[in-house]
Amino acid sequence: MLVAAAVCPAPPLLVPEVASGAAAELGDARTACSDALAVLAASRPDLLVVVGAAAEGGAYDQGTPGSFAGFGVDLTVTLGPDLGEPPSGHATGGTLPASLAVAGWLLGQARWAAAPVAGVAVAPHLPPSGCGLLGADLGGSAERVAMLVLGDGSACRTLKAPGYLDERAAPFDAAVARALGAADVAALAALDAELAAELQAAGRAPWQVLAGAAEGAGLDGRLLYEDAPYGVGYFVAAWS
């Protein structure tokens, strides 16, 4: 059963070494992420499931490495503490996709040791129904499950945004912020997948996995951070 969740943005710029001279711009977001992860640790979970968007879906074991070399930084992380054990047969293997690498960095900063970690990458085309079913399965994977969900909002908030300016972006992100802040499972599950794709909102599928996991859990939510510093909607929320 899901007992707690943290929602964080997924840009590699969240990592100071990647952001370099612009690191201070996401300082408040990093602080909020740290606060959200503290809520996860306090929930005394038996398992932490990390969910992020990736081009292809897949499972990743604790200790799977991730790299920021593709962003010009010689920095490697692992998904939770490296146990020094060979990966299990069911995992995708290889290296972490970018969203889960960011999660690995966040867990490293938090010195996560509260529970074993499992990673799940969600393909952006997975429909809401599929996300809900995956979330329900993950939410029932241990007696006390915590979830760290990585995902960004619309990438069309300003003229200089990756997806240019789209007038639908701000209302979409506002609805996401309300849903995350209220732990509104129904509102997250109802997000329009086609609109999210047009707005380049990579968090849609991970958020809907969270909605599936949280169905019936009765969690309360708090929105800890909301901004669009690079024309992309970033949110941090904690559910418990």
Side-chain angles (χ1 to χ4, degrees):
M1 178 179 178
L2 188 71
V3 296
V7 176
C8 296
L13 286 172
L14 201 61
V15 179
E17 291 89 339
V18 176
S20 187
E25 295 181 14
L26 289 179
D28 290 345
R30 293 184 197 97
T31 299
C33 289
S34 178
D35 292 343
L37 263 69
V39 172
L40 298 185
S43 71
R44 297 176 289 108
D46 299 315
L47 175 68
L48 173 65
V49 179
V50 181
V51 180
E56 296 183 4
Y60 295 85
D61 284 319
Q62 178 170 333
T64 300
S67 172
F68 293 95
F71 302 95
V73 176
D74 184 15
L75 175 66
T76 59
V77 296
T78 59
L79 187 66
D82 188 353
L83 300 177
E85 300 174 355
S88 65
H90 70 272
T92 301
T95 59
L96 298 172
S99 63
L100 296 188
V102 172
W105 181 83
L106 289 171
L107 292 171
Q109 294 300 298
R111 299 182 180 179
W112 179 266
V117 180
V120 178
V122 185
H125 55 73
L126 188 66
S129 59
C131 292
L133 290 173
L134 175 59
D137 183 57
L138 295 174
S141 57
E143 185 172 345
R144 296 181 63 82
V145 176
M147 189 170 283
L148 172 58
V149 181
L150 281 293
D152 299 339
S154 167
C156 304
R157 291 281 294 272
T158 66
L159 292 173
K160 294 184 178 180
Y164 197 65
L165 176 64
D166 190 313
E167 63 183 12
R168 301 171 297 173
F172 177 88
D173 282 353
V176 170
R178 286 193 297 270
L180 293 176
D184 190 335
V185 171
L188 287 179
L191 290 175
D192 187 323
E194 182 176 346
L195 175 60
E198 292 174 0
L199 296 176
Q200 301 181 28
R204 189 276 307 172
W207 297 331
Q208 291 186 322
V209 170
L210 170 60
E215 182 69 38
L219 301 182
D220 294 321
R222 287 183 296 143
L223 188 66
L224 305 180
Y225 175 89
E226 176 191 3
D227 203 356
Y230 305 109
V232 181
Y234 296 152
F235 315 97
V236 180
W239 294 12
S240 62

